[in-house]
Amino acid sequence: MLAQMFMSWSNRGMSGPVQHSAMRGSNLALVLGAVAETGPLTRSQLTARTGLTKSSISGLVGDLVAAGLVGEGQPAPTRERGRPGSVVAIERQGAAGLGLEVNVDYLAAMVTDLGGTVRYRHTVAHDNRDRPPAEVLADLARLAAAATDACDEQGLPLAGACLAVPGTVAAGVVRRAPNLGWDDVPVDLPLPRSAFGLTLENEADLAALAELRAGTASRDFVHVSGEIGIGGGIIVDGELFRGAHARAGELGHVVLDPDGPACSCGGRGCLERLAGLDAILAASGAADRAELEARCAAGEAGALAAVASAGRWLGIALASVTNLLDPECVVLGGVFAALAPWLGDAVEEALARHGVQPRVVVSELGTEAAVRGAAGSVVRRVVGDPAAYLLSREDSA
Amino acid sequence: MLAQMFMSWSNRGMSGPVQHSAMRGSNLALVLGAVAETGPLTRSQLTARTGLTKSSISGLVGDLVAAGLVGEGQPAPTRERGRPGSVVAIERQGAAGLGLEVNVDYLAAMVTDLGGTVRYRHTVAHDNRDRPPAEVLADLARLAAAATDACDEQGLPLAGACLAVPGTVAAGVVRRAPNLGWDDVPVDLPLPRSAFGLTLENEADLAALAELRAGTASRDFVHVSGEIGIGGGIIVDGELFRGAHARAGELGHVVLDPDGPACSCGGRGCLERLAGLDAILAASGAADRAELEARCAAGEAGALAAVASAGRWLGIALASVTNLLDPECVVLGGVFAALAPWLGDAVEEALARHGVQPRVVVSELGTEAAVRGAAGSVVRRVVGDPAAYLLSREDSA
């Protein structure tokens, strides 16, 4: 319907090269978006779904095939009579997104293709707090190089890269990542030239978007990214809620005990000081998350008590979140996903005690959510604006 | 622009009685909305602003004049040459909204006209917790009758009524208002027949909408309704944020002290138990808000300490709110507006200590915000859908 309005608009005297190319771009996105979301579609299904004419669809599909973003082929045989039309489907080799992540105790890289399939993943555990940012970024550059090599080997053209960081970002700069101790750190990785280059995003936001695309939760939820710090990603009606200055979702700094332990934000008793991974490790005596999980699985009382205490604090914070935001669902992500068997009851009890009962879901993406969201954000950009992607490839050709 | 699209749509084969009347309705709203928002406009200004043709504007203005919603007259003289065209302006006698409010310690009624001017106001202080709902509603009916009499005297046609309550609502029923002790109380007031009848809304939501229309804050803010209970109204990009089940904004139940005093929600240490009016009165020893304000104004240490303590708790809660929602601005409303001279510093200090500094604004509407928002919501409905208003008047004629 949008396309029809667009065309009638243009027909009423606004046509010309600029309008024509804007219209073509929007219609390319309409067609690519339809097959990306629904799966393989025949040309007549595309006509019905987009409201575009048969001949427009024909031209647009032709352009997308030439660009390698979609392919045409025979559908799987059905029991219906008659010869089925050929179907247009996403070309998995069409374009790939590189996701990168710097977090407090690991680095990660992931490549996803245009169909959303993970084609490469690599995570390296490392405490990044004791090192200068340049050293961390040099390690990250090595991870990125290995990932782009993997793209080459698999014949995947890289559309761009996105770096997830546990903090606030601006163009090309990590503004403030308190748990890393980074302030205004510029990021410039030696990546191969690509259509969209490198962007930076908050890790909790990316994790929530990955969760949205994975479809485990609904379209109105709060995703909890539990790591050393605790981030929150708020999805409202299927969109990321960013706030007035793109700083919304700082769940880790919900104040639960104003006389509690000091926090990197300057306050006291913030959730992440009471329920973040460091707090759990300190209370349990475990050296790292693997040992913590092993001790919980073995039923060790100290580890179970430490995890349950974190669950109680997390539940109290989520009661406040629910009273404020009224989400349909709360998603436990990051380390909280792995710890859910021993933490979930305490979360639910604390919620119920405070008179709210949002649906509580455990993320299936776990600590991979943010880097997956980063790779996915590049792919979504190709699907959302194929014309820009094609244009920049022509420019660099 | 919208109107043009609408017309071109209809011209492409969708015309007919239903489409025509929908189009007329949407265009009536476009014209009425333009003069309601901008003030008096000439017909050619209306043509430019709405994208409708001169003859359409002529017909629509004629309909709105006949309905008594706008008037035409000479504008104020300017220094520009030439004879100015006549201007179309909101008819203040055109339609009025009746706002009503039941709160824990008062009842209120207010009438605003189509131009947003308050034409009648009446507030009665009364502790409504010690009385059965039927008795409270009988008192409210008397307030409403006096208000509708005032409308008659001023020749104001009543378009409808809206009742603000400190709790959750469904159609015609107060679902749960814990501070009143009301659960599933049906509300049926003997009001004169009107276009839109009686609707129920949460008082904190209405107060935030009144604040939005008053324009004291921005388009992204959290309005704090401080009374015996504490409500929050969240405005995002100029719209009320309701949440997945219309229960968002329950600021009073942000948990600040999990071992603190028991709350009506079942939890402990909720903000309203620590900073609500009852908590302040108990800590200061004042009998009511008038005495409290007088003691603060006189510089009495006990009263000042009680108010500052409430301000500190409120500031801590607002730090959590800011970390989660990242509003541009926080508006102190209800009793917090009146207490702002003695409470504001403590709020700002607590915010700064937790590393956030949203702009803090004191409401100019104070405790009147909710009932004003209630009256305004009726008027907004007339402006937003004049066709529905006119249709229901024809039906009842």
Side-chain angles (χ1 to χ4, degrees):
Chain A
M1 292 310 185
L2 183 63
Q4 280 195 355
M5 280 195 171
F6 220 97
M7 290 179 68
S8 111
W9 184 254
S10 155
N11 290 344
R12 283 206 323 282
M14 290 189 63
S15 59
V18 176
Q19 282 72 22
H20 180 266
S21 102
M23 187 177 85
R24 176 172 169 271
S26 129
N27 289 344
L28 280 172
L30 212 58
V31 171
L32 186 58
V35 293
E37 245 174 58
T38 318
L41 292 171
T42 63
R43 288 185 179 213
S44 57
Q45 285 171 325
L46 276 170
T47 306
R49 173 175 271 262
T50 60
L52 294 166
T53 63
K54 242 174 120 170
S55 77
S56 294
I57 290 289
S58 193
L60 294 163
V61 168
D63 288 353
L64 291 170
V65 168
L69 296 176
V70 304
E72 279 194 285
Q74 292 305 312
T78 68
R79 290 188 192 175
E80 282 174 38
R81 281 153 174 276
R83 188 169 146 271
S86 69
V87 291
V88 180
I90 281 291
E91 179 51 73
R92 288 181 182 273
Q93 295 296 111
L98 170 60
L100 299 167
E101 182 178 6
V102 175
N103 216 313
V104 180
D105 56 352
Y106 64 90
L107 298 176
M110 180 180 277
V111 175
T112 58
D113 66 24
L114 206 48
T117 304
V118 176
R119 303 289 288 263
Y120 175 86
R121 52 161 57 91
H122 189 198
T123 302
V124 181
H126 202 307
D127 193 328
N128 294 313
R129 282 172 294 193
D130 55 357
R131 305 197 294 158
E135 202 176 295
V136 175
L137 290 173
D139 279 359
L140 187 70
R142 275 187 287 276
L143 251 76
T148 56
D149 285 352
C151 285
D152 287 346
E153 280 163 28
Q154 298 184 52
L156 286 168
L158 201 67
C162 176
L163 171 60
V165 294
T168 53
V169 299
V173 178
V174 177
R175 275 269 168 257
R176 192 168 145 67
N179 289 318
L180 281 170
W182 290 15
D183 282 292
D184 289 315
V185 173
V187 174
D188 185 19
L189 299 172
L191 293 169
R193 197 185 163 114
S194 66
F196 296 136
L198 174 70
T199 56
L200 275 60
E201 292 281 352
N202 174 269
E203 59 90 20
D205 288 350
L206 290 169
L209 286 170
E211 211 61 57
L212 175 69
R213 283 169 213 144
T216 28
S218 61
R219 288 169 56 84
D220 286 275
F221 64 88
V222 173
H223 177 270
V224 184
S225 289
E227 304 295 341
I228 305 274
I230 297 177
I234 303 168
I235 301 289
V236 175
D237 199 18
E239 302 271 350
L240 185 64
F241 179 86
R242 293 183 182 272
H245 320 88
R247 290 198 290 262
E250 285 289 345
L251 180 62
H253 299 283
V254 164
V255 184
L256 295 176
D257 181 4
D259 301 315
C263 181
S264 59
C265 73
R268 288 188 166 276
C270 293
L271 172 64
E272 69 182 38
R273 284 296 152 265
L274 300 164
L277 183 60
D278 271 1
I280 305 178
L281 293 177
S284 68
D288 56 25
R289 68 178 78 184
E291 189 185 329
L292 176 68
E293 286 177 43
R295 288 198 193 178
C296 285
E300 199 210 84
L304 291 176
V307 169
S309 165
R312 176 176 164 269
W313 286 117
L314 179 59
I316 295 170
L318 290 174
S320 294
V321 168
T322 302
N323 274 308
L324 281 172
L325 292 174
D326 183 22
E328 191 275 319
C329 167
V330 165
V331 185
L332 302 184
V335 293
F336 294 142
L339 296 174
W342 311 290
L343 168 134
D345 284 353
V347 170
E348 303 250 19
E349 272 164 35
L351 285 166
R353 198 172 331 114
H354 286 89
V356 289
Q357 283 179 291
R359 194 159 60 92
V360 179
V361 173
V362 177
S363 168
E364 289 172 13
L365 304 177
T367 53
E368 241 186 41
V371 73
R372 195 183 186 113
S377 77
V378 177
V379 169
R380 294 300 296 180
R381 212 166 147 189
V382 176
V383 173
D385 195 355
Y389 172 67
L390 295 178
L391 198 66
S392 81
R393 294 216 312 171
E394 282 160 26
D395 283 354
S396 64
Chain B
M1 292 313 184
L2 184 64
Q4 280 196 355
M5 281 195 170
F6 221 98
M7 290 180 69
S8 110
W9 183 253
S10 155
N11 291 343
R12 283 203 326 279
M14 290 189 62
S15 58
V18 177
Q19 282 71 26
H20 180 265
S21 103
M23 188 178 83
R24 176 171 168 271
S26 129
N27 289 344
L28 280 172
L30 210 59
V31 171
L32 186 58
V35 293
E37 246 174 58
T38 318
L41 291 170
T42 63
R43 288 184 179 215
S44 56
Q45 285 171 326
L46 276 170
T47 306
R49 173 176 271 263
T50 60
L52 294 166
T53 63
K54 241 175 122 171
S55 78
S56 294
I57 289 290
S58 193
L60 294 162
V61 168
D63 287 353
L64 292 171
V65 168
L69 296 176
V70 303
E72 279 194 283
Q74 293 304 314
T78 67
R79 290 190 192 175
E80 283 174 35
R81 279 153 175 276
R83 189 168 146 272
S86 68
V87 292
V88 180
I90 282 291
E91 179 51 74
R92 289 183 180 271
Q93 294 297 109
L98 170 60
L100 298 168
E101 183 178 5
V102 174
N103 215 314
V104 180
D105 56 352
Y106 64 90
L107 298 175
M110 180 180 277
V111 175
T112 57
D113 65 25
L114 207 49
T117 305
V118 176
R119 301 289 289 262
Y120 176 85
R121 51 160 59 89
H122 189 196
T123 302
V124 181
H126 203 307
D127 193 326
N128 294 313
R129 282 172 293 193
D130 55 358
R131 305 198 292 157
E135 203 176 294
V136 174
L137 290 173
D139 279 359
L140 187 69
R142 274 187 287 276
L143 250 76
T148 55
D149 285 352
C151 286
D152 287 346
E153 280 163 29
Q154 299 184 53
L156 286 168
L158 202 66
C162 177
L163 171 60
V165 295
T168 53
V169 299
V173 178
V174 177
R175 275 271 167 257
R176 192 168 144 68
N179 289 318
L180 281 171
W182 289 17
D183 281 290
D184 289 316
V185 173
V187 174
D188 185 20
L189 299 173
L191 293 168
R193 199 186 161 113
S194 65
F196 296 135
L198 174 70
T199 56
L200 274 61
E201 293 281 352
N202 174 269
E203 59 91 20
D205 288 350
L206 289 170
L209 286 171
E211 211 61 57
L212 175 68
R213 284 170 212 143
T216 28
S218 60
R219 289 169 56 84
D220 286 275
F221 64 88
V222 174
H223 178 269
V224 184
S225 288
E227 303 293 341
I228 305 274
I230 298 178
I234 302 168
I235 301 289
V236 175
D237 199 18
E239 303 271 350
L240 184 66
F241 179 85
R242 291 183 183 273
H245 320 87
R247 289 198 290 262
E250 286 290 343
L251 179 62
H253 299 284
V254 165
V255 184
L256 295 177
D257 181 4
D259 302 315
C263 181
S264 59
C265 73
R268 286 188 167 276
C270 294
L271 172 64
E272 68 183 37
R273 284 295 153 265
L274 300 165
L277 183 60
D278 271 1
I280 304 178
L281 293 178
S284 67
D288 57 25
R289 69 178 79 182
E291 188 185 327
L292 176 68
E293 285 177 42
R295 288 198 193 178
C296 286
E300 198 209 84
L304 291 175
V307 170
S309 164
R312 174 175 165 269
W313 286 117
L314 179 60
I316 295 169
L318 290 174
S320 294
V321 168
T322 303
N323 274 309
L324 282 172
L325 292 173
D326 183 23
E328 191 275 317
C329 165
V330 165
V331 184
L332 303 184
V335 293
F336 294 143
L339 296 175
W342 310 290
L343 169 135
D345 285 352
V347 170
E348 302 250 20
E349 271 165 34
L351 285 166
R353 198 172 332 115
H354 287 88
V356 288
Q357 282 178 292
R359 195 158 60 91
V360 178
V361 172
V362 177
S363 167
E364 289 172 14
L365 304 177
T367 53
E368 241 185 39
V371 72
R372 194 183 187 116
S377 76
V378 177
V379 169
R380 294 300 296 179
R381 212 165 147 191
V382 176
V383 173
D385 195 355
Y389 172 67
L390 296 179
L391 198 66
S392 81
R393 294 215 313 171
E394 281 160 27
D395 283 353
S396 63

